[in-house]
Amino acid sequence: IFFRVNPTLFSLAHWEKQGEIYDRAGIRAFRWVLFHSPLGWINPNFHLRASRADCDRLLREMNSSEGVHWLTFGVSSMLAISYLLHDRAVYGYVLLLVRIPFDLYPIMLQRWNRGRVWRVLGRPAHTI
């Protein structure tokens, strides 16, 4: 579903295009953990092949992944709020806490990577 969604839905705000906000949030450390753990094999489609034309496919993959993480974040957050409202506070807080490494940081990683790809695409072709 998210693979065919209009890419403008996932466009970056002007304040996040350079990625500084994500650097401050520690996204490089999160990326390092993904690459150096068994979680690195989860989606092999995120590897850029040796052509500039492959960037379009990679951007669609990133959009799709971000959309899935937004969906799971939304559903699980609603469930956590339901737990909080129905005297199951421990379950609600734990569920919200788990969403940080499993949804929020992957969303930030996709957005940070998308900015990196757009900066590469903005360079003249001979400098890549």
Side-chain angles (χ1 to χ4, degrees):
I1 294 172
F2 294 109
F3 202 75
R4 289 178 255 151
V5 170
N6 186 346
T8 58
L9 179 65
F10 298 102
S11 62
L12 299 175
H14 73 282
W15 51 267
E16 64 182 333
K17 287 185 179 177
Q18 293 302 317
E20 186 177 317
I21 188 80
Y22 299 120
D23 288 335
R24 289 183 183 173
I27 204 67
R28 288 178 192 261
F30 180 76
R31 180 178 178 261
W32 186 91
V33 168
L34 282 180
F35 278 131
H36 294 89
S37 72
L39 297 173
W41 59 267
I42 288 177
N43 196 340
N45 292 329
F46 283 143
H47 297 288
L48 183 62
R49 296 179 185 94
S51 76
R52 191 179 185 113
D54 192 48
C55 287
D56 185 48
R57 179 205 55 84
L58 183 62
L59 288 169
R60 284 194 317 271
E61 292 285 347
M62 287 184 212
N63 290 348
S64 179
S65 176
E66 183 183 339
V68 168
H69 282 288
W70 274 116
L71 181 66
T72 59
F73 177 74
V75 170
S76 59
S77 294
M78 287 189 290
L79 182 60
I81 291 169
S82 172
Y83 281 138
L84 291 172
L85 294 175
H86 292 100
D87 295 328
R88 302 279 186 213
V90 172
Y91 295 119
Y93 288 127
V94 167
L95 191 54
L96 286 174
L97 188 62
V98 167
R99 297 308 358 126
I100 294 170
F102 288 105
D103 283 326
L104 289 182
Y105 267 86
I107 289 168
M108 288 191 297
L109 181 61
Q110 296 311 316
R111 297 185 73 76
W112 180 69
N113 281 332
R114 191 175 312 113
R116 293 173 62 207
V117 170
W118 280 114
R119 286 192 299 277
V120 167
L121 288 174
R123 294 182 194 160
H126 67 281
T127 62
I128 294 179

